[in-house]
Amino acid sequence: MKTSNIYILFLVFILTSCGASKMTTSKGDLLLASGDYAGALAFYKEKMASLSPDDRSLYRNMAIANSKLGNHAEACRLAAYVPTSGDSLLLNSLATSLLQENRQHEVIPLIEENRNIFLNSWGADSVNVHLAKYYTSINDSRIVEVYPLLNSPAAQAECLECYIKKADLPTAEIKKNCEQVLSFDSSHVVAIRLLATAYYDEAESGYNSSMAQYNKKKNTATYAKLVKELKALTPTYIKCKDRLEKLRTMGVAEANDLKRLVNVYNRLNQEEKAKAVERQIKKLKK
């Protein structure tokens, strides 16, 4: 009988202790939910020091509180102890802290694995910007999927070169994307160069095709056709020339830009200007 009573008292003690533990944890959660992050963190630290719980939710809540208080390194450390998948509040806090710690490469897997959560909390534009910038930084072909979704002109400008290199775009699309960036930043060197190259390749393709047709049968009729076709290419060469000259004026023209400019001036029968650019190329070689 005495043994039975002792056993019952022991169970009551255990249940009471468990109940007290839940109430204690709930108090911390209430502080966290109310925005009293300092109070919640102090409470969690006290609980951890006195009880040393195995409950990983404590680490989760401490990670969130630390992130909200700007203790980003500690937030990242604590979050490593708990699963993040599907946990909206923890994911947002952890992503914020990782970004503050310049650990962008760790944020991307979080976004990719929990895309819907971040779409809801950050918005599509922000998610796509983070992905595009990261894919650009590692020269990743996934930029092709994200770049067309960008609404941020600044992000488009930053990621343009990588996108053009990775995407197999027709000339018209290359022009469109370059013009879009230039409408935001008229001095964007990459966009100017890519646009000049697109016009150059287009004009040269037409020129070489026309010359090839003429060389098959050289006579008065084919020569007249050649002159007409080459004249039709003049506006395209001029568009290329204008952009190459802008690079030259900005002082950022490279050797290949100048070589193309020489060829363009020759195609336009402007030999003196071609020679002036050739002299500039010789100076670059010294």
Side-chain angles (χ1 to χ4, degrees):
M1 189 72 176
K2 288 183 179 180
T3 304
S4 178
N5 288 337
I6 292 171
Y7 181 70
I8 292 171
L9 287 171
F10 179 73
L11 284 177
V12 170
F13 174 77
I14 294 295
L15 292 173
T16 305
S17 298
C18 290
S21 177
K22 288 184 178 180
M23 287 178 66
T24 304
T25 305
S26 296
K27 180 181 176 183
D29 294 348
L30 287 171
L31 290 169
L32 188 68
S34 69
D36 185 359
Y37 304 117
L41 186 58
F43 183 85
Y44 291 135
K45 284 181 178 179
E46 182 181 347
K47 178 176 171 60
M48 178 175 281
S50 60
L51 299 180
S52 300
D54 291 328
D55 184 1
R56 295 300 183 187
S57 66
L58 192 64
Y59 293 94
R60 169 198 182 270
N61 294 346
M62 289 180 71
I64 294 168
N66 272 290
S67 178
K68 297 292 186 181
L69 291 169
N71 305 325
H72 297 296
E74 181 65 3
C76 295
R77 186 187 72 80
L78 289 165
Y81 290 101
V82 292
T84 58
S85 182
D87 189 333
S88 178
L89 185 55
L90 179 59
L91 282 166
N92 279 283
S93 297
L94 178 56
T96 298
S97 290
L98 287 170
L99 290 171
Q100 290 295 323
E101 289 292 298
N102 294 315
R103 292 162 62 176
Q104 285 84 350
H105 63 287
E106 296 178 55
V107 174
I108 301 306
L110 293 179
I111 295 175
E112 291 176 332
E113 292 168 15
N114 303 272
R115 194 179 185 93
N116 287 336
I117 286 177
F118 284 104
L119 285 173
N120 288 331
S121 55
W122 289 10
D125 288 347
S126 182
V127 167
N128 291 328
V129 166
H130 277 89
L131 291 173
K133 287 185 177 182
Y134 177 71
Y135 295 151
T136 296
S137 71
I138 62 172
N139 197 30
D140 195 295
S141 59
R142 285 174 290 178
I143 186 65
V144 175
E145 302 169 12
V146 180
Y147 188 90
L149 304 176
L150 292 175
N151 290 320
S152 164
Q156 289 173 344
E158 184 175 338
C159 304
L160 175 69
E161 185 173 15
C162 183
Y163 173 59
I164 297 297
K165 286 180 178 179
K166 295 296 182 181
D168 185 17
L169 297 176
T171 301
E173 282 298 308
I174 293 175
K175 291 179 185 176
K176 177 182 175 182
N177 282 285
C178 289
E179 292 287 10
Q180 194 167 354
V181 167
L182 289 170
S183 67
F184 165 73
D185 179 4
S186 61
S187 298
H188 193 283
V189 173
V190 170
I192 297 170
R193 180 171 287 119
L194 287 170
L195 194 55
T197 301
Y199 282 122
Y200 182 83
D201 291 343
E202 183 181 348
E204 282 293 280
S205 177
Y207 178 90
N208 291 328
S209 177
S210 297
M211 289 300 297
Q213 291 298 318
Y214 170 71
N215 288 329
K216 287 181 181 179
K217 191 175 182 180
K218 296 181 179 180
N219 56 41
T220 305
T222 57
Y223 180 75
K225 182 181 178 183
L226 174 65
V227 171
K228 183 179 179 181
E229 289 175 343
L230 295 183
K231 185 176 181 180
L233 294 173
T234 297
T236 306
Y237 275 117
I238 290 175
K239 289 177 182 177
C240 174
K241 180 263 296 179
D242 289 346
R243 285 148 183 87
L244 291 174
E245 278 292 2
K246 184 164 186 176
L247 293 177
R248 191 180 176 204
T249 301
M250 292 168 63
V252 294
E254 298 174 350
N256 284 337
D257 299 325
L258 296 175
K259 288 176 183 177
R260 285 173 176 166
L261 188 55
V262 168
N263 196 42
V264 168
Y265 275 131
N266 284 326
R267 298 282 192 248
L268 295 172
N269 297 314
Q270 298 180 26
E271 295 181 2
E272 289 304 315
K273 290 186 176 181
K275 289 178 181 178
V277 179
E278 285 177 338
R279 288 193 292 271
Q280 185 177 350
I281 294 173
K282 289 179 181 179
K283 289 180 180 179
L284 288 176
K285 292 180 179 180
K286 291 182 179 179

